[in-house]
Amino acid sequence: MCFLEFEYDGDRIPKVLKCGHTFCWGCIQKLAKTKYIRCPNDGKMFFLKKNDNLSHLKKNFKAMNNQ
Ligand SMILES: [Zn+2]
Ligand SMILES: [Zn+2]
């Protein structure tokens, strides 16, 4: 969504939302509101638990192999 290439470190790590779409960590942090994340691809909302720091989201290094 930010059109930057994925990397293994920092804000460019590819992360998978529960709907299966992959975004870089930096974008996900911008998408995350206080109580939910909204996927820009399909509009699905994922509610966050209290103190959820999103670290449970899976990394998607497969996405990097496609480039
Ligand atoms: Zn991004
Ligand atoms: Zn999605």
Side-chain angles (χ1 to χ4, degrees), residues 1-4 6 11-12 23-27:
M1 116 178 217
C2 61
F3 305 111
L4 294 170
F6 293 129
D11 285 350
R12 301 274 84 86
F23 300 99
C24 73
W25 179 231
C27 286

